[in-house]
C-alpha cells in the first residue's frame, strides 16, 4: 500500500475502535418498507415526513418533466440551466414561505452555504445556535464574518451577546433541530432580531409540522429549506425579500457555479409543494401528528431521539432492531455531541399504526421505552 493508503487504514481502524465507523447500507424500497441486503425492514430513518417521495402525482410530474426536458439542466442556472419549471417552483416556494421571492439551490446544504457566505461579510457578526446543522456550521466557517455560538435555545445569552456587539448582525437557527427534534422559539427570536436590527435566517428543513413564522413588521428574514425531506425530491431553497434573493443570484457561489437542478427533481418538488398547501397536505400532517403521539405524545416534530449516550450501545441497539426487522440507524459524534449517541427515530405519514406498534414493541423488548420518553 502507498503511504496515503496506510494512513487511511490507520484512520479507519481508529474509527472502528471507538464504534464510529460508518458505511452506506443500500435500502431498496419505495416507502417505509424495503430490503437491506437479505432482510426486509421497516425504516424509521427517512426524512420523507409526509410520504410524498412515493406520491403518484409527484412521480408522474418527474416522469413528465423528463419527457419534456430530458434528464439534466445541462448548465448552471445563469448560463442555460434555467427552465420554466425552476421559475414556477421558485414562485410557489416564495408564496409558501410568505416571501417576495425564492431561489432554488442544488441542496439544502448548498443553500445554507450560499446564503451565509454571501451575507456574512467582514463587517458582520453571525450568531449561531450551538446545535445547528453541519451546513450552517460550515456556512459560518466559510463566511468572512465573525461567528459567535450561543447556548442551545438560550435567548437570554443571545440577548446579552447581541447587546454587546456593534455593527451588522445575523442570527441563524434551525426551526426544528435535526437530531433532537425540538423547536426554536421563532417569535421570540424574531423580536430580538427586530430590537437589534439583525437579519434572522431560519433553516426549516425538518419543519413538516411547523413552527412557521409569519411576517413581522421591521423584521428581515430568510427562510432556508430543502426539497428532499417534506417535499420528497432533491434540492434546497432560500426565500426572502426580493433584494436579498437578487443579491444571492449574483453573489452566491453555490448557486452560480453549479449545474441547475434537474427537471425531474424540480417538477417533483413543484408537485409536492402544491400538495403540501392543499387539503390533502392538511390530512397528511394530521396523520403524521397522530403517529408521533402514539410514540411520544405532544412531541413537536417527527424526529424522536432515543438517547443512549455510549457510542457502542447505540450501534448495538441499532443492530438489535435490524434483527427485529426495523431500521433505525445509530447516530454518533460528530453528528451529535460526545456522550449523546442515540437512535434517531424519524416518523412519516406513510407509516401505519401497525408499523409504529411494531417499533414500540421492539423498543420495549430492548428496555428503551424510558429513554424514548425522556429524551
Amino acid at each position: 500500500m502507498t503511504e496515503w493508503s496506510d494512513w487511511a487504514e490507520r484512520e479507519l481502524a481508529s474509527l472502528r475502535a471507538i464504534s464510529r465507523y460508518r458505511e452506506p447500507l443500500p435500502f431498496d424500497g419505495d416507502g417505509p418498507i424495503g430490503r437491506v441486503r437479505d432482510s426486509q425492514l421497516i425504516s424509521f430513518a427517512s426524512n420523507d415526513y409526509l410520504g410524498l417521495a412515493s406520491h403518484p402525482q409527484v412521480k408522474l410530474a418527474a416522469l413528465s418533466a423528463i419527457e419534456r426536458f430530458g434528464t439534466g439542466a445541462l448548465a448552471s442556472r445563469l448560463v442555460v440551466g434555467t427552465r420554466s419549471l425552476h421559475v414556477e417552483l421558485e414562485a410557489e416556494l416564495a408564496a409558501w414561505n410568505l416571501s417576495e421571492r425564492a431561489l432554488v439551490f442544488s441542496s439544502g446544504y448548498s443553500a445554507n452555504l450560499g446564503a451565509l457566505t454571501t451575507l456574512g461579510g467582514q463587517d458582520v457578526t453571525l450568531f449561531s445556535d450551538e446545535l445547528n446543522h453541519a451546513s450552517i456550521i460550515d456556512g459560518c466557517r466559510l463566511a468572512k464574518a465573525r461567528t459567535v455560538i450561543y447556548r442551545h435555545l438560550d435567548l437570554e445569552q443571545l440577548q446579552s451577546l447581541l447587546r454587546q456587539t456593534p455593527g451588522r448582525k445575523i442570527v441563524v437557527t434551525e426551526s426544528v433541530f435535526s437530531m433532537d427534534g425540538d423547536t426554536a422559539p421563532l417569535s421570540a427570536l424574531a423580536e430580538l432580531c427586530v430590537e437589534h436590527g439583525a437579519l434572522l435566517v431560519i433553516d426549516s428543513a425538518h419543519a413538516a409540522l411547523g413552527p412557521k413564522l409569519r411576517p413581522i413588521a421591521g423584521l428581515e428574514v430568510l427562510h432556508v429549506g430543502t426539497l428532499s425531506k417534506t417535499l420528497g425530491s432533491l434540492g434546497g431553497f432560500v426565500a426572502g425579500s426580493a433584494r436579498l434573493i437578487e443579491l444571492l443570484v449574483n453573489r452566491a457561489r453555490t448557486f452560480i457555479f453549479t449545474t441547475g437542478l434537474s427537471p425531474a427533481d424540480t417538477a417533483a418538488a413543484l408537485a409536492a409543494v402544491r400538495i403540501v398547501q392543499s387539503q390533502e397536505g392538511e390530512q397528511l400532517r394530521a396523520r403524521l401528528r397522530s403517529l408521533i403521539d402514539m410514540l411520544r405524545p405532544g412531541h413537536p416534530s417527527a424526529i424522536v431521539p432515543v438517547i443512549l449516550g455510549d457510542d457502542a450501545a447505540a450501534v448495538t441497539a441499532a443492530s438489535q432492531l435490524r434483527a427485529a426487522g426495523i431500521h433505525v440507524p445509530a447516530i454518533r459524534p460528530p453528528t451529535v455531541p460526545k456522550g449523546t449517541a442515540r437512535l434517531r427515530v424519524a416518523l412519516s405519514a406513510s407509516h401505519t399504526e401497525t408499523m409504529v406498534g411494531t417499533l414500540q414493541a421492539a423498543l420495549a423488548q430492548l428496555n428503551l421505552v424510558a429513554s424514548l420518553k425522556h429524551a
Side-chain angles (χ1 to χ4, degrees), residues 14-89:
S14 69
L15 291 173
R16 293 187 186 97
I18 58 173
S19 298
R20 292 188 189 169
Y21 179 78
R22 297 164 171 84
E23 61 178 337
L25 272 179
F27 181 85
D28 291 334
D30 185 9
I33 296 179
R35 298 198 69 82
V36 175
R37 295 176 178 152
D38 294 328
S39 302
Q40 181 170 287
L41 302 178
I42 305 170
S43 169
F44 288 94
S46 165
N47 294 324
D48 184 24
Y49 298 124
L50 297 183
L52 294 179
S54 298
H55 194 288
Q57 292 177 30
V58 176
K59 289 181 175 181
L60 180 60
L63 291 170
S64 299
I66 290 174
E67 289 295 326
R68 182 180 177 191
F69 296 109
T71 59
L74 308 180
S76 62
R77 289 282 306 279
L78 293 178
V79 179
V80 72
T82 294
R83 303 287 178 273
S84 56
L85 282 172
H86 294 106
V87 178
E88 288 181 65
L89 175 58

Side-chain angles (χ1 to χ4, degrees), residues 156-214:
E156 288 187 10
Q157 186 196 27
L158 177 59
Q159 168 78 295
S160 176
L161 292 168
L162 287 167
R163 284 175 176 163
Q164 297 169 25
T165 306
R168 294 194 300 140
K169 309 173 186 71
I170 298 173
V171 175
V172 57
T173 183
E174 294 184 68
S175 58
V176 173
F177 289 85
S178 60
M179 290 298 122
D180 289 279
D182 55 346
T183 58
L186 295 185
S187 295
L189 280 168
E191 290 174 9
L192 281 181
C193 288
V194 171
E195 179 183 346
H196 295 278
L199 168 67
L200 178 59
V201 178
I202 304 170
D203 182 334
S204 296
H206 298 275
L209 299 178
K212 206 167 183 78
L213 183 68
R214 302 195 69 81

Side-chain angles (χ1 to χ4, degrees), residues 339-351:
T340 69
R342 66 197 65 188
L343 302 175
R344 178 186 181 272
V345 175
L347 293 163
S348 168
S350 61
H351 286 123

Side-chain angles (χ1 to χ4, degrees), residues 105-115 133-139 141-142 203 224-226 228-229 235-237 254:
F105 288 75
S106 59
S107 68
Y109 197 104
S110 62
N112 269 324
L113 261 62
H133 186 264
S135 60
I136 295 174
I137 294 170
D138 289 351
R141 287 172 175 169
L142 290 170
D203 182 334
V224 179
T226 176
S228 62
K229 296 179 174 63
F237 67 88
T254 54

Side-chain angles (χ1 to χ4, degrees), residues 114-126 140 142-146 168 170:
L116 294 173
T117 56
T118 299
L119 302 175
Q122 289 180 332
D123 61 338
V124 171
T125 302
L126 280 160
C140 292
L142 290 170
K144 295 178 181 178
R146 181 172 77 103
R168 294 194 300 140
I170 298 173

